[in-house]
Amino acid sequence: QQLLRLAQFADTLEHISLKKQQTTNHEIGHIYAKGNGLLEGYLDNNGNVQLDLKNSWLDMKDFGYFDIDGNLFVIGRRDGAIHRMGATFYACHMERIVEELGILSKVVSFTEDRKGSYLILFIQYSHEKSSHIRKEIVDALPTYMYPDKLICIDEFPFLPNGKIDNK
């Protein structure tokens, strides 16, 4: 699974609090953090602290959700919104829906005049079974997320941290 399990908060994170925008379990929301340890690494070239705080919470610019045990799963960054057919969404939302089918995926989008974005969905899946899985994927996705092109690859390249290498 491509999701990153951060921590079970009560036991492992000292001096840092985390929250997400929505409050129900498994619902995707924006991740925010606050605590003494957040200041390290957020300095500009002059050594000044550069934090975008909202009511003392730092917007981490990530999407994630809490499971019923209180574990936070980070599913992707909020930058790079896709605008298509009157809807706005993020590649990580589409990838999560496909991954719930048990298929590792990566979305690439290009601006297109007719729909707003042209979507290519790369999946780690057998080429021989691609027509079968395309129907499952289309059935799981909202209409505005239907991929224009589906490309099956044998195996994604990975970075040492376990994330898909986008290059």
Side-chain angles (χ1 to χ4, degrees), residues 7-92:
Q8 184 141 1
F9 304 112
D11 299 330
T12 58
L13 292 178
E14 294 181 30
H15 310 297
I16 297 178
S17 299
L18 297 167
K19 71 174 184 173
K20 71 175 186 64
Q21 184 182 33
Q22 286 85 356
T23 58
T24 60
N25 292 331
H26 294 287
E27 186 177 346
I28 296 173
H30 300 180
I31 298 174
Y32 298 88
K34 73 176 174 180
N36 296 337
L38 293 177
L39 296 179
E40 189 174 323
Y42 289 96
L43 301 177
D44 66 14
N45 292 337
N46 298 323
N48 300 316
V49 175
Q50 294 295 308
L51 295 174
D52 181 20
L53 298 177
K54 294 177 176 104
N55 297 321
S56 77
W57 288 91
L58 175 64
D59 185 349
M60 301 303 292
K61 310 287 188 223
D62 287 316
F63 284 113
Y65 67 92
F66 288 108
D67 68 8
I68 60 172
D69 295 322
N71 297 311
L72 175 66
F73 289 83
V74 178
I75 64 167
R77 300 289 293 167
R78 284 198 335 251
D79 44 11
I82 297 170
H83 306 285
R84 188 167 202 238
M85 299 169 56
T88 300
F89 63 98
Y90 296 86
C92 64

Side-chain angles (χ1 to χ4, degrees), residues 9 22 33 49 59 75 99 126-127 130 154 162 165:
F9 304 112
Q22 286 85 356
V49 175
D59 185 349
I75 64 167
E99 287 175 11
S126 169
H127 295 278
S130 64
D154 293 327
D165 186 347

Side-chain angles (χ1 to χ4, degrees), residues 93-142:
H93 290 147
M94 186 174 171
E95 291 162 1
R96 180 165 186 237
I97 293 169
V98 174
E99 287 175 11
E100 287 175 353
L101 299 172
I103 302 162
L104 193 57
S105 66
K106 196 68 182 171
V107 175
V108 175
S109 68
F110 300 95
T111 302
E112 185 218 30
D113 291 334
R114 194 169 52 97
K115 293 184 218 175
S117 291
Y118 183 87
L119 299 178
I120 302 173
L121 178 64
F122 292 89
I123 59 171
Q124 187 171 293
Y125 204 80
S126 169
H127 295 278
E128 293 82 32
K129 300 177 185 177
S130 64
S131 61
H132 165 72
I133 200 61
R134 181 176 182 82
K135 180 174 178 359
E136 279 189 51
I137 290 170
V138 167
D139 288 346
L141 293 171

